[in-house]
Amino acid sequence: MSWSLGIDVGGTHTDAVLLDAQQRIIAYSKQPTSADVMRGIDQAIAAVLAQVEVDRGTIRRAMLGTTQCTNAIVERKGLQPVAHFRLGAPASLAVPPLTDMPADFRARLPVRLFTLAGGYQYNGEILSALDEQAARRQLLAVRGQVRAVSVCGIFSPVAAEQEQRVAALAREILGVKTPVSLSSEIGSIGLLERENATVLNAALSGVAHTLTDGFRQTLARRGIIAELFFGQNDGTLMPLHQAQMFPILTIASDPTNSLRGAARLSNSQEALVVDVGGTTTDVGALCGGFPRQSAMAAEIGGVRTNFRMPDIASIGLGGGSVVILNADGAISVGPESVGYALPQRALVFGGDTLTVTDIAVARGWADIGDAALVAHLCPAMVTQAAEHYVAMVEKCLARI
């Protein structure tokens, strides 16, 4: 008998399930997400293993979906210093790299930008020969100052030889272990969006290695030596080495996990799925049992990209969303949320913050915490707040 362990880390809860060889759920656990993500993962694993007697050596696969890379972009934290090379001079000199990236992101993103002669025509013919000597000079100039390299050439999804040559030079000069991100392996046609995605992928390399190493070590401490997989944006899994190379492809793994889980548990191949978390509500569509992919450029933390992403509509509404009664009598819900501090902050748990969870309990829609602690709330206000957040979800459903 072989077993599989699945873990999903959200902003509020970390979920874990143990599956048997027939992919049946044998045990599951929901634990609060911790500030140190690995501690929450460890607690979820321990809770699952405590439910059943399992030889830990027979847990052959462990799968993780997490928002770590998304959070790094949104919060502008933990991003690696990057040397970025655009291959497109002189044709692309009028529009510098990262032109459409938000100013606050540019200010916090440690990136050195270089534009070299190079690039292709739409039919694969050379637009300009690659200036290898300039590439060597610039790589030598940043040696010891950057930890990752990104390369984006004009029409490189059609012909990638120039990008691959710069990658070879980068590993020769900066070291074979230097992460190199090539736009031809990440995005589609569309220079600026593909370039943004490639730079972000390179900047996330440190987060990716910390995450993958931490996951492996957390499992090992529990006696689990398994093959590791990570959820990616299209609802499928990728192995450890691929997650380290392409962390950008894990950006939407959290909502896609919910979509795939909904398909599995409901045996539905075509459906709308509403995933209500502690901070956000994500709505997506299942097509053939997998998330419907977006045909539009995806925006992550204000940065436009064009790699494959699910068609997800997200709003700042969750169980921990803060409910505010404004001076004019209007109700506002979110986007501020107490997140994983809900058990300490919400009224029904003895806290001092009015949340969506409190409204749901007062309305009789949920049985959680102590309903007596929200009995004092004005019924009219409770109804107004409930109608407000229901309307938010309905609007999101209509958009999908």
Side-chain angles (χ1 to χ4, degrees):
M1 174 71 76
S2 65
W3 306 82
S4 299
L5 179 66
I7 300 169
D8 179 71
V9 181
T12 308
H13 290 105
T14 296
D15 301 299
V17 295
L18 189 65
L19 308 174
D20 65 11
Q22 284 73 47
Q23 299 298 295
R24 294 175 299 197
I25 298 174
I26 304 303
Y28 64 90
S29 171
K30 182 182 290 290
Q31 301 291 323
T33 294
S34 57
D36 172 10
V37 171
M38 290 303 156
R39 184 163 63 86
I41 290 175
D42 184 61
Q43 291 172 345
I45 294 172
V48 164
L49 294 178
Q51 295 177 32
V52 291
E53 287 290 335
V54 174
D55 178 359
R56 299 182 186 189
T58 60
I59 299 178
R60 305 289 171 79
R61 290 167 297 278
M63 299 153 282
L64 176 66
T66 177
T67 59
Q68 286 292 92
C69 290
T70 309
N71 294 344
I73 294 174
V74 172
E75 298 172 8
R76 280 72 159 139
K77 294 179 180 178
L79 302 174
Q80 295 278 70
V82 176
H84 175 65
F85 294 85
R86 177 193 281 183
L87 313 181
S92 67
L93 292 177
V95 183
L98 311 187
T99 293
D100 63 343
M101 190 172 283
D104 70 305
F105 202 166
R106 281 289 307 275
R108 297 190 189 186
L109 182 63
V111 59
R112 298 279 299 276
L113 302 175
F114 303 100
T115 301
L116 306 177
Y120 292 89
Q121 303 277 9
Y122 70 93
N123 59 1
E125 294 181 358
I126 290 180
L127 177 66
S128 183
L130 175 65
D131 188 344
E132 288 195 21
Q133 293 305 312
R136 285 184 177 275
R137 288 195 305 271
Q138 291 159 350
L139 285 165
L140 286 168
V142 299
R143 188 162 57 183
Q145 300 176 27
V146 299
R147 295 186 180 179
V149 172
S150 58
V151 189
C152 180
I154 294 178
F155 282 111
S156 62
V158 177
E161 288 81 1
Q162 291 182 351
E163 285 192 353
Q164 293 165 357
R165 179 55 185 157
V166 174
L169 292 172
R171 294 189 176 104
E172 173 191 326
I173 295 170
L174 303 181
V176 294
K177 293 185 178 180
T178 301
V180 181
S181 300
L182 304 183
S183 75
S184 56
E185 299 175 343
I186 294 173
S188 56
I189 300 299
L191 179 64
L192 294 180
E193 293 85 358
R194 174 163 45 91
E195 187 167 53
N196 290 343
T198 309
V199 173
L200 289 182
N201 191 73
L204 288 169
S205 59
V207 174
H209 279 79
T210 299
L211 176 64
T212 53
D213 290 346
F215 187 41
R216 186 196 296 112
Q217 293 167 12
T218 299
L219 291 170
R221 283 195 295 270
R222 293 286 174 183
I224 300 172
I225 308 299
E227 188 176 5
L228 305 187
F229 296 90
F230 291 79
Q232 59 179 336
N233 301 334
D234 60 3
T236 62
L237 297 171
M238 57 182 171
L240 174 68
H241 71 275
Q242 191 174 351
Q244 291 176 333
M245 290 175 59
F246 303 110
I248 196 78
L249 298 184
T250 70
I251 289 293
S253 64
D254 192 42
T256 56
N257 283 347
S258 297
L259 288 164
R260 290 285 292 135
R264 180 62 184 272
L265 294 173
S266 67
N267 291 318
S268 298
Q269 299 294 299
E270 313 290 329
L272 292 179
V273 180
V274 181
D275 173 18
V276 183
T279 302
T280 62
T281 290
D282 302 316
V283 181
L286 286 171
C287 295
F290 282 84
R292 182 175 70 195
Q293 297 296 295
S294 174
M296 306 292 289
E299 193 168 291
I300 306 164
V303 181
R304 285 174 57 83
T305 63
N306 68 354
F307 58 94
R308 64 180 186 274
M309 284 283 284
D311 185 9
I312 300 288
S314 297
I315 52 176
L317 168 68
S321 294
V322 177
V323 178
I324 297 176
L325 179 62
N326 298 309
D328 60 358
I331 295 286
S332 62
V333 178
E336 182 184 356
S337 171
V338 299
Y340 57 75
L342 180 70
Q344 292 78 43
R345 300 279 303 279
L347 297 183
V348 291
F349 294 112
D352 59 0
T353 305
L354 179 62
T355 68
V356 165
T357 296
D358 298 314
I359 297 297
V361 171
R363 196 82 164 86
W365 291 349
D367 182 13
I368 183 174
D370 185 354
L373 296 176
V374 292
H376 67 283
L377 296 177
C378 172
M381 185 276 291
V382 169
T383 299
Q384 184 182 357
E387 290 176 348
H388 180 87
Y389 74 69
V390 167
M392 292 173 67
V393 176
E394 290 175 340
K395 184 177 180 181
C396 204
L397 279 166
R399 176 181 164 193
I400 287 291

